[in-house]
Amino acid sequence: IMSDPKSVVNRKVTTEAEQGVSGDSDETVKENPGRPGSSKMDAFTSMVESLGQTLKEVASESIRCSSPLKTLDLDGIAEYIKTKKPKNIIVMTGAGISTAAGIPDFRTPGSGLYSNLAEYDLEDPQDIFCMDFFRENPKPFFKLAKALFPKNIKPTPAHYFVRLLEKKGLLLRWFTQNIDSLELLVGVNKEKVMAAHGSHASSTCLKCKKKYDLAWITKHLEDPSKLVPYCEKADCDGVVKPDIIFFSEALPRDFFKRIVEDFPCCDLLIVMGTSLVVQPFASLVDEVDSEIPRLLINREPAGPFRGPIEGGRTTRSSKKALEACYGLGIKQSNRDVFHRGDCDDGVLALAEKLGWDEELEQMINQGPPTNLLL
Ligand code: CNA
């Protein structure tokens, strides 16, 4: 209620007018700003607004007292890494980490797949990863697969930042929703990567279940005269589908094993480039202990990083006020940092605060250490 006091006041006055409480159905503050009483109402409204604002500030201050972070921003995260020395960092990523590599995400207006349905001949963008749709029309998926395939794309600075975490012995696991395999291309050990939605590393014939390797699908996807790959086994003309998890398919068994083993040990969660809407991946952010700091670098707030946590700065204050704020629906986390912007800018800024910028730049300049396709 306190989060938007003005609308509450206006709603109440309108309701009374509608019910004839005032005896004059036109007598609403909104419609008659010059009438006697409106200035009192304005004063009351602004008093309520200012009280709400004060309570929010007090809540922020209170939260600071119990926070594992000095400040709820990149400085706070950098300070936490330097002083608390987390060694089990989990990174969670989505399509936004790869848009700078030229791969469209789903939901960015203009460039995302959702905005470019005509090109992919889709009514619903999710159809592209839907098994029933794929069986009927596999063409849109393979059109996208050609654009996504690792040979044509390069890792972004955000990918290199995760490799730097691994190099420093701080990365516990990299959970990714992406199917572009850039996590492996950037050189992170495959044991450290949990590709929750599968990858192109292997493919399977939908009819006879014959397996095909990366080289086979690569050759096919690189051939501009071909679109849908068909099984080469005698008497089989089945469509060969890369082992990417589609919406109606089960996630890899490893995925659940990793969640159970990794998340209880996590001492810092870094989330990048995801709208956190695809389940069950999105809910992994809640698997870390409630004391563990969580950082989201994204162009927009997502999941639990929505709300008044952006650029949070807090100092000392009373717990009672905080409880009052929670009671009034004003929520603020004491361990979440939302850094609005591009993943690459965010990791470069964080690397600089950590004194890792030169090392990161060197890594980026050297390029990927491995080539998946060799
Ligand atoms: P999404 O729902 O499209 O969200 C992407 C998010 O990233 C949005 O919040 C954007 O605002 C944000 N974003 C985009 N570019 C940047 C950037 N440069 N820096 C910071 N933020 C940015 O995608 P999700 O990953 O959340 O959704 C999960 C789906 C998308 C998974 O099933 C994926 O398989 C699927 N997908 C993957 C790829 C890929 O492998 N690269 C590409 C397209 C879709």
Side-chain angles (χ1 to χ4, degrees):
I1 287 171
M2 285 300 277
S3 59
D4 192 2
K6 195 168 185 174
S7 64
V8 171
V9 170
N10 282 338
R11 194 162 63 237
K12 183 170 185 295
V13 171
T14 306
T15 305
E16 283 179 354
E18 281 166 2
Q19 291 171 347
V21 172
S22 65
D24 179 353
S25 62
D26 288 327
E27 201 169 4
T28 67
V29 171
K30 261 186 168 173
E31 289 163 17
N32 300 285
R35 301 275 313 244
S38 70
S39 62
K40 274 189 190 164
M41 189 54 79
D42 285 348
F44 176 68
T45 302
S46 83
M47 188 195 81
V48 173
E49 278 178 341
S50 122
L51 183 64
Q53 188 55 35
T54 307
L55 281 172
K56 278 185 191 172
E57 282 164 16
V58 166
S60 293
E61 290 171 12
S62 275
I63 284 158
R64 174 68 201 101
C65 295
S66 58
S67 174
L69 302 170
K70 265 198 175 161
T71 51
L72 296 174
D73 53 16
L74 282 189
D75 288 308
I77 295 288
E79 159 93 13
Y80 176 85
I81 294 175
K82 283 196 258 187
T83 57
K84 301 280 164 58
K85 303 195 186 310
K87 293 212 165 15
N88 290 316
I89 298 177
I90 291 182
V91 176
M92 289 172 57
T93 54
I97 194 181
S98 297
T99 53
I103 305 169
D105 64 5
F106 269 172
R107 292 173 184 83
T108 292
S111 60
L113 274 172
Y114 277 39
S115 307
N116 293 286
L117 299 184
E119 197 191 327
Y120 287 91
D121 193 21
L122 297 168
E123 274 174 27
D124 179 344
Q126 305 224 15
D127 282 348
I128 211 160
F129 295 123
C130 174
M131 215 44 224
D132 290 343
F133 182 90
F134 182 87
R135 284 183 207 280
E136 267 178 38
N137 178 14
K139 288 180 185 169
F141 171 79
F142 284 107
K143 192 171 177 187
L144 180 70
K146 279 175 180 272
L148 290 182
F149 209 61
K151 186 139 192 179
N152 302 323
I153 52 170
K154 290 190 170 69
T156 68
H159 290 92
Y160 282 97
F161 180 79
V162 188
R163 185 170 148 224
L164 187 57
L165 289 176
E166 186 199 27
K167 188 181 163 204
K168 291 183 176 296
L170 309 181
L171 180 69
L172 175 60
R173 203 79 58 197
W174 185 353
F175 284 78
T176 183
Q177 296 169 95
N178 293 350
I179 51 172
D180 54 33
S181 303
L182 282 174
E183 306 81 12
L184 302 178
L185 192 65
V186 80
V188 171
N189 188 317
K190 68 174 194 266
E191 294 302 316
K192 290 281 178 188
V193 178
M194 181 63 245
H197 297 166
S199 78
H200 285 85
S202 61
S203 303
T204 309
C205 169
L206 292 185
K207 209 167 171 183
C208 73
K209 306 296 171 204
K210 179 175 163 58
K211 284 278 178 192
Y212 289 89
D213 64 12
L214 186 63
W216 187 87
I217 196 77
T218 304
K219 206 169 148 216
H220 178 91
L221 292 174
E222 280 177 0
D223 186 340
S225 68
K226 291 180 178 164
L227 186 58
V228 180
Y230 292 98
C231 186
E232 289 174 347
K233 202 171 153 191
D235 301 330
C236 182
D237 57 354
V239 172
V240 177
K241 172 187 161 288
D243 292 338
I244 283 161
I245 311 297
F246 279 27
F247 282 128
S248 52
E249 294 185 298
L251 271 72
R253 201 170 290 173
D254 264 11
F255 175 69
F256 299 100
K257 187 170 164 265
R258 294 285 188 221
I259 296 171
V260 173
E261 285 175 3
D262 294 345
F263 276 83
C265 312
C266 174
D267 45 18
L268 173 62
L269 181 68
I270 299 178
V271 186
M272 293 191 277
T274 173
S275 57
L276 287 176
V277 295
V278 176
Q279 297 293 356
F281 191 93
S283 57
L284 292 189
V285 294
D286 294 320
E287 292 297 322
V288 296
D289 194 275
S290 60
E291 308 285 302
I292 299 302
R294 305 185 294 190
L295 165 67
L296 171 71
I297 303 176
N298 208 45
R299 284 183 183 158
E300 58 183 4
F305 298 86
R306 290 196 184 92
I309 59 171
E310 194 169 353
R313 290 190 63 80
T314 49
T315 55
R316 272 186 80 79
S317 177
S318 113
K319 263 198 162 176
K320 274 194 174 165
L322 174 61
E323 282 159 16
C325 285
Y326 277 125
L328 292 165
I330 299 170
K331 290 186 190 152
Q332 186 163 353
S333 161
N334 70 349
R335 45 82 180 245
D336 288 335
V337 173
F338 168 51
H339 182 82
R340 188 188 289 269
D342 282 7
C343 296
D344 294 347
D345 296 340
V347 298
L348 291 170
L350 182 56
E352 194 179 342
K353 290 175 193 305
L354 288 161
W356 298 354
D357 42 337
E358 278 182 22
E359 210 176 338
L360 180 59
E361 268 169 41
Q362 214 176 9
M363 222 177 218
I364 295 168
N365 292 338
Q366 275 170 0
T370 58
N371 186 339
L372 276 182
L373 307 180
L374 287 178

